[in-house]
Amino acid sequence: MHPPFFRLAWLAALLLLAGCTTTPARTTATRTASEPVPLLLISIDALRADYLGKGDTPHLDRLARQGVRAEWMNPSYPALTFPNHFTLVTGLRPDRHGVVHNTMREEGLGDFRVADLAAVGDGRWWRAEPIWVGAEKAGLPTAIWAWPGSAAEIDGVRPTRWKPYDESIPADQRADEVARWLEEPAATRPRFAALYLEMVDGAGHEHGPHAPQTHQAVRQADAAVGRLLDSLAGKGLLERMNVIVVSDHGMAVVPPGQVVAVEDMVPVEDAIVVSIGQSVGIAPRAGHVEAAEKRLLGRHNHYQCWRKSELPARWHYGRNARVPPIVCQMDEGWDAIPAAGMAKRALAGTRGSHGYDPALASMRATFIAHGLAFRKGVVIAPFDNVDVYPLMARLLDIPARENDGDIAPLLPALEADK
Ligand code: AMP
Ligand code: ZN
Ligand code: ZN
């Protein structure tokens, strides 16, 4: 009906109007093309996937509703804290990054234990490149609150800012510090920040995953995350960045009395027990290999043992020199501890443990993502935790090192243009 010129003029006027009406909102919610997008990674240790949506996690539930949640995330073997935290930031299975257990031994390097802060901060144990090292190498500043490995110099690089693990610092204080980092002016603001919280793991071990004390710890961790997110939102930052919340593994019920003494698994004269707990690493003594193997290999009540080369393939475990020659995997709900601890354990009620087969429902970990790169209100299918690293490398726009992950399962989480 109208000549083309009028149609074009109408279109131009409409576009102008649309532009005018959206301008005020853009000042807080949108970034300019050149503004870097920070990435915040939060780990709540042992936050089982099914702890969400039960009334204890209002802040995490809201984040998931306004972003993406995985039905669950599969931990890597062994389902322990240090191996899985390093997997999340390297995309490598523990067997490949070398932090094969919370307790390790290496000829010439000695013993690694989580509680030994000198070993934890010794870069020789951490032989793969975590995302913060890749980011620093690419010139992006990073700031890390006690992520396992962040206290070590790796490949000559440390995070620009890092805080050593310190249980005595309350979660809210940690949240406030990470908020302060991210609220700094663009010139000093970290491009990648991480926060670690352990209280859910502690309560889960002491009381079991379903105890009131564990619910309380989940509420406390959720409140700390909420405090951090509210602070970022108040500054107009939350919508201009990306946030990923993960856990390293779940937590299983250990009923009273479900414990085996490692000395009953193998006599001390035949083997050294390098790591205890749920994934038990055993090194036969010289001249006792046959005796140790005869005693251990195969199925027992409450556990099963393999030569490291014969472990189930789906665990991707057993090639690394740090894995002892024999690995015994405890059945769900059973612990292996030194005989010296049995009397004390006999007094304990229901407890919790992880480190069981990562395929078990009780070991399922949490994954939530929110922000500029992510779709809203989406639930994605379960995926392996090695896949988080290639996702983060893409979000930071840095090259991903060779890894065991695959970004494909996470593509449905991303906005089409990210
Ligand atoms: P686990 O439950 O044995 O797999 O280990 C979890 C424990 O590791 C937590 O309860 C903390 O006490 C400890 N932990 C976590 N992060 C660190 C860290 N960065 N440095 C030292 N210890 C840590
Ligand atoms: Zn853990
Ligand atoms: Zn734990």
Side-chain angles (χ1 to χ4, degrees):
M1 211 196 286
H2 298 292
F5 168 79
F6 285 105
R7 256 184 280 164
L8 275 176
W10 263 109
L11 200 64
L14 274 174
L15 282 174
L16 208 67
L17 256 174
C20 288
T21 49
T22 55
T23 302
R26 289 165 66 99
T27 53
T28 54
T30 319
R31 66 196 173 101
T32 61
S34 59
E35 190 184 333
V37 181
L39 170 61
L40 168 62
L41 174 66
I42 300 173
S43 166
I44 303 175
D45 197 314
L47 190 79
R48 242 171 89 146
D50 64 358
Y51 285 174
L52 296 178
K54 299 245 169 82
D56 293 328
T57 55
H59 299 99
L60 291 171
D61 292 343
R62 192 176 62 196
L63 196 71
R65 274 198 310 276
Q66 296 174 352
V68 177
R69 170 175 72 79
E71 276 180 76
W72 70 82
M73 182 168 69
N74 299 308
S76 294
Y77 188 93
L80 298 172
T81 298
F82 273 55
N84 276 282
H85 275 86
F86 209 42
T87 288
L88 285 160
V89 294
T90 60
L92 294 166
R93 301 277 180 194
D95 207 45
R96 287 194 62 209
H97 63 53
V99 181
V100 299
H101 205 283
N102 282 348
T103 311
M104 304 181 281
R105 175 166 296 175
E106 186 182 296
E107 197 77 45
L109 200 47
D111 290 326
F112 179 98
R113 277 172 220 297
V114 166
D116 176 355
L117 293 189
V120 165
D122 184 339
R124 290 173 299 172
W125 287 105
W126 307 89
R127 292 209 186 120
E129 182 180 286
I131 190 96
W132 63 80
V133 170
E136 291 283 344
K137 284 180 178 173
L140 311 181
T142 67
I144 316 287
W145 214 104
W147 195 276
S150 59
E153 187 179 289
I154 299 173
D155 205 8
V157 178
R158 284 183 184 280
T160 300
R161 272 172 284 193
W162 57 278
K163 291 280 173 184
Y165 179 66
D166 183 351
E167 268 181 32
S168 71
I169 299 180
D172 282 355
Q173 205 174 310
R174 299 180 203 183
D176 290 350
E177 174 128 31
V178 173
R180 270 197 304 278
W181 289 342
L182 287 164
E183 290 162 9
E184 283 185 5
T188 55
R189 179 184 307 151
R191 182 71 192 284
F192 175 75
L195 169 64
Y196 169 82
L197 300 171
E198 78 284 345
M199 70 281 281
V200 174
D201 180 69
H205 282 301
E206 224 172 303
H207 306 285
H210 308 305
Q213 294 92 333
T214 307
H215 283 278
Q216 174 58 27
V218 173
R219 284 198 288 276
Q220 200 191 341
D222 180 78
V225 173
R227 187 180 167 102
L228 169 52
L229 299 178
D230 286 351
S231 181
L232 295 170
K235 304 274 188 317
L237 286 168
L238 189 60
E239 297 307 320
R240 287 153 51 195
M241 58 184 291
N242 292 307
V243 180
I244 298 176
V245 182
V246 292
S247 62
D248 47 353
H249 48 70
M251 185 66 73
V253 176
V254 179
Q258 294 209 167
V259 61
V260 174
V262 286
E263 290 85 346
D264 292 339
M265 293 169 77
V266 62
V268 282
E269 58 272 22
D270 285 339
I272 298 166
V273 179
V274 177
S275 57
I276 58 165
Q278 301 72 34
S279 171
V280 184
I282 299 174
R285 295 182 194 277
H288 293 251
V289 174
E290 216 176 302
E293 287 196 340
K294 190 155 178 274
R295 174 70 177 250
L296 286 167
L297 295 182
R299 182 76 217 169
H300 302 260
N301 284 338
H302 321 310
Y303 61 96
Q304 185 165 355
C305 305
W306 296 262
R307 286 192 196 97
K308 65 186 277 191
S309 58
E310 293 167 358
L311 282 160
R314 66 196 169 82
W315 289 347
H316 309 281
Y317 195 69
R319 286 169 191 261
N320 197 290
R322 288 180 186 164
V323 177
I326 296 175
V327 175
C328 299
Q329 177 56 49
M330 304 304 291
D331 292 346
E332 184 178 24
W334 285 84
D335 288 336
I337 68 170
M342 291 295 273
K344 185 167 170 231
R345 176 58 82 90
L347 306 173
T350 296
R351 291 180 52 83
S353 284
H354 48 89
Y356 301 116
D357 188 339
L360 289 164
S362 58
M363 293 298 102
R364 292 173 179 168
T366 297
F367 176 89
I368 299 169
H370 175 279
L372 273 180
F374 294 101
R375 294 172 66 200
K376 296 193 183 353
V378 172
V379 178
I380 60 170
F383 61 91
D384 290 358
N385 66 352
V386 287
D387 301 338
V388 175
Y389 169 79
L391 169 71
M392 294 196 297
R394 176 177 306 200
L395 295 177
L396 293 173
D397 199 16
I398 61 173
R401 298 293 297 247
E402 200 223 323
N403 64 83
D404 297 321
D406 179 1
I407 200 170
L410 284 154
L411 292 178
L414 292 173
E415 288 287 4
D417 58 342
K418 302 296 172 192

